[in-house]
């Protein structure tokens, strides 16, 4: 119940954000709407509010809650009335089913386990949606950073082409230098156009995750990645590597494993329930007989006990079915636990490798940036060729682009590892 209230509060606040986004993004008086800046937190909140998967998980939880209430309720008594010619002629009886503890306890325990499993699955759905929103935002940040870097490289290439023309006119450069600089400027412009389109596609994909129509660009990133070489060490230090000591290891259980274990617990209780039903529950019969012509008047009490006799079956098919379900649930638990261990191991390895690549890229960024700056100064002074200058600038751009991609990959890998290490407490129902 606490989880449901938390989800309701989160969804309520994000609905306000979504409403504001839609109002701003909607065309007003034929004018083009201005894109709304979004943060990683607002993207996640809106995705949680709009995702149909959340509503499906809520419905599954409501069904499990109704099943628990059904298991806890007592059956209604049955009132029967009859008339006979034999005295006494009027008969009134009330049949009260007896809910034995040997059936009631496992029935309720099975339903409680199913409710806990539905609650865990709802929490897992929320975590998966948040993971999807976060990783989509991080990839959009990387695409946007690449686009800004490519645009800056294109401007620098245009400036270098202009400088080459000026040097040619002054007699310090050849037509070949000018043509090489023009070709590099054109290639840089094409790269900038491609990266800009990729950044827009990433934003439209993020709109889809948020539940917004991707027919037009309605959002922009409020948080962007830096593309300055001097900021590389700071960017690297902002992403710590997740460790095995993260929440979810030890005291808690991963949601996938927890849900499978709760299904197994429910199947165990179902086996006990079906075994208890080998002999069906009796019912108590209380009533009165009256209207006795020619005999003593008044009400004659009637008390009886109805006991089903297991002559033709002893609930064997239901017991076999419940045992098969239990074996299947146990196998699923083993498979899910093995899969979980493999996912965590892969995510830890990917996070370490991503951080190592980002650290190497950070060192390359600093060196490539210095080489590009020195080569440009050398070209301006006539001490270097345009070809070497272009190669130095291309190397600096590729190093920065690779570092941006590596930072995004490291953040995505860390976010996935954090998701896999999250857990839920799995106590007794």
């Amino acid at each position: 119940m606490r989880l449901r209230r938390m989800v309701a509060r989160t969804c309520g606040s994000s609905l306000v954000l979504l409403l504001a986004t839609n109002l701003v993004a909607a065309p007003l008086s034929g004018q083009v709407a201005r894109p709304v800046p979004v943060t990683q937190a607002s993207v996640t909140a809106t995705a949680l509010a709009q995702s149909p998967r959340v509503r499906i998980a809520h419905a599954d939880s409501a069904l499990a809650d109704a099943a628990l209430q059904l298991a806890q309720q007592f059956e209604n008594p049955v009132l029967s009335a009859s008339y006979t010619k034999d005295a006494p002629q009027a008969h009134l009886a009330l049949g009260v089913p007896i809910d034995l503890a040997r059936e009631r306890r496992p029935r309720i325990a099975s339903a409680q386990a199913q409710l806990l499993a539905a609650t865990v699955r709802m929490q897992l759905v929320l975590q998966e949606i948040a993971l999807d929103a976060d990783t989509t935002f991080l990839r959009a940040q990387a695409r946007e950073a690449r686009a800004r870097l490519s645009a800056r490289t294109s401007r620098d290439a245009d400036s270098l082409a202009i400088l080459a023309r000026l040097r040619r006119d002054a007699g310090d450069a050849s037509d070949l230098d000018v043509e090489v600089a023009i070709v590099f400027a054109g290639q840089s412009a094409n790269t900038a156009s491609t990266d800009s389109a990729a950044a827009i596609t990433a934003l439209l994909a993020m709109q889809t995750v948020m539940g917004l129509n991707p027919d037009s660009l309605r959002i922009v990133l409020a948080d962007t990645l830096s593309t300055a070489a001097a900021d590389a060490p700071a960017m690297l230090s902002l992403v710590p590597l997740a460790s095995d000591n993260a929440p979810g290891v030890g005291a808690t259980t991963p949601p996938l494993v927890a849900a499978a274990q709760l299904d197994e617990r429910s199947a165990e209780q179902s086996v006990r329930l079906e075994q208890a039903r080998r002999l069906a529950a009796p019912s108590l019969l209380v009533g009165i007989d009256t209207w006795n012509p020619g005999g003593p008047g008044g009400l004659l009490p009637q008390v009886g006990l109805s006991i089903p006799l297991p002559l033709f079956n002893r609930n064997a098919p239901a017991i076999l079915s419940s045992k098969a379900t239990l074996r299947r649930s146990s196998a699923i638990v083993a498979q899910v636990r093995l899969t979980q261990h493999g996912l965590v191991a892969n995510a830890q390895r990917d996070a370490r490798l991503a951080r190592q690549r980002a650290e190497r890229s950070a060192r390359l960024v600093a060196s490539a940036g210095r080489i590009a700056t020195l080569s440009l100064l050398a070209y301006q002074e006539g001490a270097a060729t345009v070809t070497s200058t272009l190669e130095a600038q291309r190397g600096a751009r590729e190093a920065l682009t690779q570092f941006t991609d590596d930072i995004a990959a490291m953040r995505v890998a860390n976010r996935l590892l954090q998701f896999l290490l999250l857990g839920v407490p799995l106590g007794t129902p």
Side-chain angles (χ1 to χ4, degrees), residues 138-171:
L138 294 174
R139 292 189 177 99
Q141 277 188 320
R143 291 294 182 181
E144 193 269 345
R146 284 179 64 108
R148 285 190 288 112
L149 182 60
S150 297
R152 190 178 70 190
T153 302
S154 179
R155 291 192 298 268
D156 293 342
D158 290 337
S159 300
L160 187 60
I162 294 173
L163 180 60
R165 290 192 187 97
L166 293 175
R167 290 193 57 190
R168 181 196 61 185
D169 296 341

Side-chain angles (χ1 to χ4, degrees), residues 21-37:
T21 304
N22 287 334
L23 288 176
V24 175
L28 300 175
S29 304
Q31 297 179 355
V32 179
R34 178 178 299 177
V36 179

Side-chain angles (χ1 to χ4, degrees), residues 101-110 264-279 315 318-319 322-323 326 429:
R102 61 185 175 88
E103 292 186 13
R104 182 175 178 82
R105 288 198 192 99
R107 185 178 68 244
I108 294 177
S110 178
E264 182 185 26
R265 182 184 300 174
S266 176
E268 291 175 351
Q269 297 298 328
S270 295
V271 171
R272 296 180 183 178
L273 174 62
E274 298 302 334
Q275 288 175 342
R277 285 176 175 171
R278 287 174 176 171
L279 179 62
N315 203 31
I319 294 175
S322 61
K323 287 183 177 179
L326 176 58

Side-chain angles (χ1 to χ4, degrees), residues 32-55:
V32 179
R34 178 178 299 177
V36 179
V38 294
T39 62
Q40 188 170 356
S42 63
V43 170
T44 301
T46 306
L48 287 172
Q50 288 298 105
S51 176
R53 297 172 60 193
V54 176
R55 296 195 293 271

Side-chain angles (χ1 to χ4, degrees), residues 137 141-142 144-145 148 220-227 235 411:
F137 185 88
Q141 277 188 320
E144 193 269 345
R148 285 190 288 112
V220 293
L221 297 179
D223 304 327
T224 58
L225 289 177
S226 174
T227 55
M235 293 171 62
R411 295 174 67 183

